[in-house]
Amino acid sequence: MLTCFAAPLFAQDQEQEFIFNTWSLNKDDSRYIFADTALVRISPDTKQAPVDTLLAGDDITAVSILSGKMLTLKGLTLPWVQVKYNKNGVEKEGYVWEGLLSFTPMRRGDVKFIFAYDRRVDTLIDQREQSQYIVKLKAVQAGKLLATTSFRIFDGESAGFSYAKVMSGLGLSNVQHIVSVGFGGAACGVPTDYYYFAWMKDGRFASLPGRMEVGDAGVYYHEESFIFPGEKDGQPDIIVLKMHEEEETDKVDKNGEPVMAVKEASTKYSWDGVNGTFKKVGK
């Protein structure tokens, strides 16, 4: 069962949201540069000329997060970060805006998978203005940007924390790795959504089916999981999405505990490894 907390995920900084948890950056954490180009400053502001330039995939280590020094760019209000890095064999230090850094770093071999919020935008959905984050996922090898893909998530409690994992191709044809990135919150009833991408052997990203999970303090629980071809009970180029759901009923067992109504279902998707596409099988 999911554990729920009542703590707030966001704090207000005047009219902008200061995103505390999604970057989850602490002193001595190692990250990648997320932006294609990041300017390093001698002080935590944009008044002076940059002293250095870093590129997507470059390694940095956080020395200090300056929560009192905020900057708003691209709809994101985030602090400056004092960083140290190595360039041309020389250890250096400077300041970069946190929005130029990645979320959790991922790497397989010499390929780095880099993701973060690119920007926050307002858009009309069903005649209502709603805020969304544009998330970008990049692949970098030996300092060269190989590919980029993007998707949108809603600005809300489900955007409070980020998760990341890179796996093998799990038996999908023409797939070298599977990258999973997720976003969720800690409060009860707030879903966590996971987005899956195939890193193809020919150097491109392809979308895979996603999944979600949500729980409400033992009253309700919904979990989805995948079976890929290379896993137990897997089928060639078939992705199986399994759903397990439990919901409290008015009945109680002999111990006085609520009886849970259980539902289970599954959906199959076929994978086309040539075109990098999938489609639902059957109804």
Side-chain angles (χ1 to χ4, degrees):
M1 294 293 180
L2 294 176
T3 302
C4 303
F5 301 92
L9 298 179
F10 299 98
Q12 295 298 322
D13 180 44
Q14 297 180 352
E15 295 182 355
Q16 297 288 335
E17 290 178 341
F18 174 23
I19 309 167
F20 282 102
N21 300 310
T22 323
W23 263 264
S24 298
L25 184 66
N26 298 297
K27 182 179 182 296
D28 297 326
D29 281 352
S30 297
R31 295 294 174 88
Y32 302 140
I33 293 296
F34 166 70
D36 290 349
T37 303
L39 300 179
V40 181
R41 307 281 180 172
I42 196 172
S43 60
D45 57 60
T46 59
K47 296 178 182 179
Q48 302 183 54
V51 294
D52 214 340
T53 300
L54 296 175
L55 303 177
D58 285 348
D59 298 287
I60 65 93
T61 300
V63 176
S64 177
I65 294 87
L66 285 67
S67 58
K69 285 282 188 177
M70 309 295 292
L71 176 65
T72 300
L73 288 175
K74 301 189 293 185
L76 305 172
T77 299
L78 295 162
W80 286 88
V81 181
Q82 183 182 5
V83 302
K84 60 183 179 181
Y85 58 97
N86 189 293
K87 190 167 184 179
N88 299 324
V90 178
E91 188 79 16
K92 297 184 176 184
E93 286 197 10
Y95 296 86
V96 298
W97 180 58
E98 189 175 41
L100 303 177
L101 305 179
S102 72
F103 294 157
T104 304
M106 296 179 285
R107 181 173 185 162
R108 279 296 175 97
D110 60 352
V111 179
K112 298 176 179 179
F113 298 101
I114 306 161
F115 80 113
Y117 294 149
D118 182 67
R119 65 185 64 244
R120 181 174 177 267
V121 296
D122 294 323
T123 185
L124 282 177
I125 300 176
D126 296 330
Q127 306 299 316
R128 294 177 55 194
E129 187 174 271
Q130 299 189 46
S131 295
Q132 295 179 311
Y133 293 113
I134 297 176
V135 184
K136 282 193 175 181
L137 172 64
K138 305 177 180 182
V140 172
Q141 184 180 43
K144 180 182 179 182
L145 180 62
L146 301 180
T148 301
T149 189
S150 64
F151 59 97
R152 295 188 179 207
I153 66 171
F154 285 103
D155 175 8
E157 288 187 272
S158 288
F161 294 87
S162 62
Y163 311 88
K165 186 177 182 180
V166 56
M167 301 166 281
S168 70
L170 296 176
L172 291 177
S173 61
N174 199 30
V175 175
Q176 188 171 4
H177 299 298
I178 295 174
V179 180
S180 171
V181 298
F183 297 92
C188 292
V190 175
T192 299
D193 295 298
Y194 296 92
Y195 303 83
Y196 284 70
F197 298 90
W199 177 241
M200 309 291 286
K201 292 181 179 178
D202 54 6
R204 58 191 166 105
F205 285 115
S207 296
L208 293 172
R211 65 180 183 90
M212 63 88 72
E213 58 187 33
V214 62
D216 192 359
V219 176
Y220 176 79
Y221 180 60
H222 178 101
E223 180 185 38
E224 296 174 355
S225 60
F226 286 125
I227 299 176
F228 286 97
E231 298 179 308
K232 183 180 179 182
D233 300 324
Q235 306 169 50
D237 278 341
I238 294 291
I239 303 168
V240 180
L241 175 65
K242 301 189 72 174
M243 184 276 290
H244 178 88
E245 186 174 275
E246 297 183 19
E247 186 171 10
E248 184 181 287
T249 68
D250 294 332
K251 299 178 181 180
V252 296
D253 61 19
K254 62 182 181 181
N255 297 317
E257 297 294 327
V259 174
M260 306 296 287
V262 178
K263 295 180 182 178
E264 293 188 335
S266 64
T267 304
K268 289 185 177 182
Y269 300 91
S270 63
W271 168 250
D272 180 347
V274 175
N275 295 308
T277 58
F278 67 91
K279 64 179 180 180
K280 187 175 180 181
V281 178
K283 296 181 179 180

